[in-house]
Amino acid sequence: MAILKWVQDTGVDWHYIAPCKPQQNGFIESFNGKLRDECLNETLLTH
């Protein structure tokens, strides 16, 4: 709800990505995959 309120307050356009359609936002999907491969998979995360 906080994000929806922020969107309304700032006037940012909100666009939904359909479920199971990551190609609708290919740039961020590519970035997330590269970040995961190059950084997160190489780092041991402990609690």
Side-chain angles (χ1 to χ4, degrees):
M1 295 306 293
I3 291 176
L4 293 176
K5 182 175 179 347
W6 177 82
V7 166
Q8 290 174 343
D9 292 346
T10 59
V12 171
D13 289 334
W14 185 261
H15 300 281
Y16 288 99
I17 296 174
C20 301
K21 299 286 185 178
Q23 66 273 19
Q24 290 181 350
N25 194 2
F27 175 78
I28 196 64
E29 292 297 325
S30 175
F31 172 79
N32 287 344
K34 290 175 185 174
L35 177 68
R36 185 172 39 255
D37 290 343
E38 295 178 13
C39 299
L40 301 179
N41 290 343
E42 299 295 324
T43 304
L44 177 62
L45 302 176
T46 59
H47 289 80

